[in-house]
Amino acid sequence: MSNSLIQSRRRFLMNVGASAITLPVLTDAFGNSIQSEPRQGRKLGIALVGLGSYSKNQLAPALQQTQNCRLAGVVTGTPSKAEEWMQKYNIPKANVYDYKTFDRIADNKDIDVVYVVLPNSMHEEFVVRAAQAGKHVICEKPMAITPKACQNMIEACKKANKQLAIGYRLHYEPFTKEVMRLGQEKVFGPIKFIESSDGFRIGDPTQWRMKKDMAGGGPLMDVGIYAVQGSRYVTGEEPISVTAQFSPKTEPQKFKDVEETLFWQFEFPSGAVSNSTTSYTAGIERLYAACQNGWFELSPAFGYGPLKGRTSKGPIEQPVVNHQAMHMDGVCKDLLDGKKLPDHITGEEGLRDVRLLQAIYRAAETGRKIDLKA
Ligand code: NDP
């Protein structure tokens, strides 16, 4: 019998053993069973894959504040980081992997959730391998660089009977939840138009974000996705058409592989329209909704916070929270409770966004209005 067959059989037997003893079995929308993780007052163990700037500066510190999960392991291609993280976060050597040994994580009971924080083009491979290792997965945005890759990731998690969340931290953030409510409940009447934009001036031109094969594109893939999300979550609707335009490149050498600035417009079924900008050449961060009887906005709207909001009736008051801690705790609470994750943070939502990102590029490249209803 091959090693992988032995391993998968061992995993199957372990799963059967565990669920037979303790786990309630629920069913998801596809009729697949969802296992809850045994609570026993414990926190789920998360392994971060890729110890770059987001893992180091945001996720690891957030995991020191979480109630439902903890930093239990790391996967890194850089040995010096492994040493540093083991010391700093008291991580045992047995919970440290590199990209080759990663699959052995299947046998590690300390790790319940694998969090993929790699360059965009690597998300697919590591989400699929994590699912095959029998772990729940959180994957950073954008979910992947093609819809096909997203579908493979969804399929792998479904097959492994594990849940897949995307790093949509704002869906747990109070200011964002409030503008979702204001828009979706039409508190100021129907939304007429939206400005939703996210951009910043990028530094090092040699980083993977500037390489199309690793990033999938430029600022649209990186932060424009937040502007797409913003227009979708304040309307609660899916766009039915898109037009888009690339700006001329003011730094053509720097932006030889990816776009510098990109504009796009969505139409929504209710008649609402949105206008968005994303850029790697200058900063913008705003989500504004003009409604029949007033307006509301967040600015800043998409960064790590504190976010700030106003409406035509006054300021938006909400608690300031750690986005990453709220997100990981929210996801892990559902996993511990054996609940299906809410649709708007799953792989299906990641796929919806990646399809829209591709449609925006297609609209900008062709100069045509793209019908999104098909
Ligand atoms: P970084 O470039 O800072 O880190 C990426 C890490 O991936 C590297 O440090 C390295 O870690 C690992 N890696 C493995 N192979 C490669 C490779 N060929 N080239 C470069 N890095 C490699 O990126 P970020 O941490 O900023 O971003 C990672 C992911 O997180 C992206 O998908 C990004 O979109 C997302 N992100 C999400 C944010 C959010 O707010 N939700 C904010 C920032 C990023 P090691 O040395 O350990 O192997």
Side-chain angles (χ1 to χ4, degrees):
M1 203 183 289
S2 75
N3 268 350
S4 65
L5 205 56
I6 294 169
Q7 270 190 5
S8 71
R9 176 163 291 193
R10 191 183 302 147
R11 276 201 299 279
F12 171 75
L13 291 171
M14 276 165 55
N15 281 344
V16 168
S19 56
I21 298 162
T22 50
L23 305 181
V25 177
L26 303 175
T27 307
D28 74 8
F30 306 100
N32 300 311
S33 60
I34 302 170
Q35 286 178 353
S36 67
E37 300 299 335
R39 259 232 189 241
Q40 296 161 0
R42 79 184 176 106
K43 296 179 171 188
L44 293 184
I46 292 192
L48 296 177
V49 186
L51 305 181
S53 108
Y54 194 54
S55 287
K56 180 176 173 183
N57 300 324
Q58 307 301 330
L59 296 176
L63 280 162
Q64 309 312 303
Q65 301 180 21
T66 40
Q67 307 298 312
N68 299 322
C69 49
R70 66 185 184 92
L71 178 58
V74 291
V75 183
T76 176
T78 310
S80 58
K81 289 186 191 170
E83 287 301 324
E84 189 191 320
W85 282 63
M86 279 193 291
Q87 280 200 5
K88 184 165 182 189
Y89 293 111
N90 202 17
I91 299 171
K93 203 173 172 66
N95 293 1
V96 177
Y97 300 86
D98 63 28
Y99 301 122
K100 286 204 182 93
T101 59
F102 171 65
D103 306 276
R104 289 192 213 142
I105 211 163
D107 301 321
N108 191 328
K109 290 201 178 67
D110 283 353
I111 315 286
D112 306 281
V113 180
V114 166
Y115 194 155
V116 177
V117 202
L118 291 163
N120 306 342
S121 62
M122 299 174 73
H123 292 179
E124 178 188 9
E125 175 185 342
F126 282 86
V127 167
V128 169
R129 285 169 68 181
Q132 286 170 349
K135 305 298 177 185
H136 297 292
V137 195
I138 306 177
C139 175
E140 257 319 314
K141 46 55 58 180
M143 182 175 171
I145 61 175
T146 64
K148 180 82 182 79
C150 297
Q151 279 159 338
N152 292 343
M153 294 153 80
I154 292 169
E155 198 48 45
C157 292
K158 215 192 280 180
K159 200 167 159 195
N161 201 18
K162 292 287 151 183
Q163 297 213 61
L164 170 59
I166 306 301
Y168 287 139
R169 58 185 162 75
L170 291 171
H171 288 237
Y172 293 86
E173 193 283 324
F175 284 86
T176 308
K177 284 167 71 176
E178 176 61 3
V179 295
M180 288 176 184
R181 186 187 74 81
L182 294 175
Q184 293 180 23
E185 293 182 9
K186 301 185 174 44
V187 173
F188 293 93
I191 295 178
K192 296 297 181 180
F193 63 85
I194 296 164
E195 300 249 355
S196 181
S197 296
D198 198 6
F200 69 102
R201 182 159 178 84
I202 200 158
D204 176 12
T206 64
Q207 62 184 288
W208 64 264
R209 281 183 169 79
M210 300 294 275
K211 299 188 171 88
K212 192 171 178 199
D213 60 341
M214 294 200 80
L220 180 64
M221 298 299 287
D222 192 25
V223 289
I225 187 170
Y226 286 105
V228 168
Q229 276 264 306
S231 60
R232 290 180 56 231
Y233 58 60
V234 297
T235 54
E237 296 175 36
E238 293 305 317
I240 53 175
S241 75
V242 60
T243 48
Q245 307 80 34
F246 292 116
S247 76
K249 290 188 181 179
T250 62
E251 297 172 88
Q253 250 327 93
K254 186 172 173 185
F255 294 102
K256 49 184 185 305
D257 210 20
V258 299
E259 76 278 5
E260 182 178 318
T261 299
L262 175 58
F263 312 98
W264 70 96
Q265 302 78 38
F266 284 143
E267 289 177 359
F268 291 88
S270 61
V273 288
S274 68
N275 193 28
S276 294
T277 305
T278 190
S279 181
Y280 267 165
T281 204
I284 183 164
E285 197 189 321
R286 187 181 187 217
L287 174 57
Y288 179 92
C291 313
Q292 192 160 304
N293 309 316
W295 52 266
F296 58 88
E297 78 167 345
L298 291 183
S299 185
F302 304 117
Y304 306 143
L307 304 188
K308 215 167 159 211
R310 305 186 295 153
T311 76
S312 43
K313 286 201 172 146
I316 298 178
E317 310 279 6
Q318 290 294 328
V320 171
V321 301
N322 179 305
H323 300 188
Q324 291 78 12
M326 291 291 279
H327 171 249
M328 289 186 282
D329 261 347
V331 168
C332 289
K333 180 172 189 316
D334 283 345
L335 294 176
L336 283 162
D337 291 344
K339 284 195 185 147
K340 185 179 179 321
L341 293 172
D343 281 347
H344 56 97
I345 59 136
T346 60
E348 279 78 7
E349 176 77 350
L351 169 61
R352 278 190 279 274
D353 280 336
V354 170
R355 282 195 174 126
L356 289 171
L357 300 179
Q358 302 265 310
I360 292 169
Y361 281 130
R362 214 160 60 242
E365 280 154 13
T366 60
R368 291 207 325 264
K369 181 171 177 172
I370 305 285
D371 185 350
L372 300 169
K373 293 192 294 294

